[in-house]
Amino acid sequence: MRQVPGEDFKVWFTDDYWDLFVWIDSSKRISSFQLGYGKPAQEQMLIWRRGSGIRAAKVSDGEENLTENRTPLLTADNSYDLDAVLKRFREDSKKINSKISDFVILILSKNRKNQSRR
C-alpha cells in the first residue's frame, strides 16, 4: 500500500471475503478504519473515524458498463447485520495482528450496543 508523507500510516488486510484498511497516527493509535465485507457479490463497508463513529455503505464496483473500468463507489446504506459481521470477523480475524483485530472488534461491539438502545 502506498504511503503518503504527512498522512497517517496505512495498513491493508485482505482475503476472499474481507478488506480491512487501517490508518495509524504518529502516536501509533488507530485513527480510522474501513472494514469491507461480503465480496465479491454483495460488498458492504463499515467506516469508522475517531470522533465520528461508524457509518455504513454499499460498495458499487463501478463496472456497470463493461467497456469502462471505473473506481468503486461507496453509497450510504444502513441496512447491515452488525451481529453477523461481528461474529464472522471475530473468527476470521484470528489470522491478522491481534491489536488491530481487537480494536475493530471493540468498536463494532460498542456500536452494536448503541444500535440496540435505539
Side-chain angles (χ1 to χ4, degrees):
M1 175 164 265
R2 187 171 71 96
Q3 303 298 326
V4 178
E7 290 185 4
D8 289 349
F9 184 78
K10 294 176 270 198
V11 182
W12 177 26
F13 301 95
T14 188
D15 67 15
D16 292 340
Y17 186 80
W18 302 99
D19 279 313
L20 175 59
F21 302 92
V22 180
W23 286 262
I24 301 170
D25 67 19
S26 58
S27 59
K28 299 197 180 345
R29 292 176 44 203
I30 295 174
S31 58
S32 63
F33 67 78
Q34 295 179 350
L35 179 63
Y37 61 94
K39 64 180 191 178
Q42 298 279 323
E43 190 169 7
Q44 293 182 275
M45 185 153 303
L46 296 174
I47 302 155
W48 175 85
R49 283 191 176 81
R50 189 181 316 128
S52 299
I54 287 185
R55 65 184 177 96
K58 280 192 178 181
V59 180
S60 165
D61 65 7
E63 304 288 326
E64 289 80 21
N65 184 339
L66 297 178
T67 61
E68 297 178 35
N69 186 7
R70 296 189 175 170
T71 303
L73 301 171
L74 299 178
T75 352
D77 178 22
N78 285 322
S79 61
Y80 60 96
D81 183 351
L82 191 52
D83 287 331
V85 172
L86 193 50
K87 180 178 178 182
R88 182 159 181 176
F89 186 76
R90 274 190 176 116
E91 185 60 36
D92 292 352
S93 66
K94 291 176 183 173
K95 53 193 166 204
I96 68 173
N97 179 296
S98 63
K99 288 182 182 179
I100 291 174
S101 62
D102 289 349
F103 182 84
V104 171
I105 289 167
L106 175 70
I107 295 297
L108 295 179
S109 297
K110 282 182 179 179
N111 195 71
R112 184 173 157 257
K113 289 175 186 173
N114 291 340
Q115 272 188 332
S116 62
R117 290 183 196 151
R118 292 180 193 163

